[in-house]
Amino acid sequence: MSTVPVVRDLKSHIERAAAHKATGERLLELDDEWFAVAFFYSAYHAVKAAMHADPIFDDMKACAAIDGSLTIESRFAEHHSGGFGKGGRTLGVNEIVFKLYKTIRVPYTRLHGASIAVRYGAGLDVISPVTVKDDFEAVCAEYAAGRIVAP
């Protein structure tokens, strides 16, 4: 059992997305590469907010038609990548984005990669901060337009 608090409501995801965005903007102004981590987690919470509101997660048959591992409970995926849980294979947020939200598939994946590079790798050594900002803005624009929703 995890001791990490889990956000499971739309309002909290929206608030967390805004807080991480503000932090990212401050770090970007300071030329601190950790802005990429804050921007990724802002995008993550925007995606989680979209998942929370996406009507596909109210329809078990629609979920199963996309992927046998996609369930109503997938709306509450917490991990970036899935694994095997009590009920078998689970999907992570990255996998759900890949399967359901094609318009943000590339920018979201690159944001995650930039976040990993800063946290565990060589930083934004080979990743342009402009690309990170553009990818973040692309995900935000899709969320603001209501286009992060399953087809």
Side-chain angles (χ1 to χ4, degrees), residues 42-124:
S42 177
Y44 168 86
H45 281 286
V47 168
K48 292 290 292 165
M51 288 167 57
H52 188 84
D54 193 333
I56 194 168
F57 294 110
D58 296 327
D59 185 342
M60 191 168 54
K61 288 182 182 178
C63 288
I66 295 197
D67 185 288
S69 297
L70 189 66
T71 68
I72 291 171
E73 282 297 306
S74 295
R75 124 186 309 148
F76 301 117
E78 300 166 27
H79 299 288
H80 301 301
S81 297
F84 288 93
K86 293 178 189 171
R89 175 84 172 113
T90 61
L91 299 175
V93 176
N94 294 357
E95 294 156 322
I96 292 168
V97 165
F98 192 82
K99 291 176 183 300
L100 296 182
Y101 308 130
K102 293 178 181 168
T103 62
I104 64 164
R105 185 185 287 170
V106 171
Y108 186 82
T109 300
R110 286 194 305 222
L111 279 171
H112 187 229
S115 173
I116 290 169
V118 170
R119 289 180 290 147
Y120 307 113
L124 293 183

Side-chain angles (χ1 to χ4, degrees), residues 3 13-14 20 22 35 38 41-42 46 49 51 53 76 82 91-92 97 99-100 114 119 123 129 133 137 141 148:
T3 58
H13 282 300
I14 292 169
H20 288 304
F35 85 92
Y41 279 102
S42 177
M51 288 167 57
F76 301 117
L91 299 175
V97 165
K99 291 176 183 300
L100 296 182
R119 289 180 290 147
K133 189 171 185 291
E137 289 173 355
I148 301 178

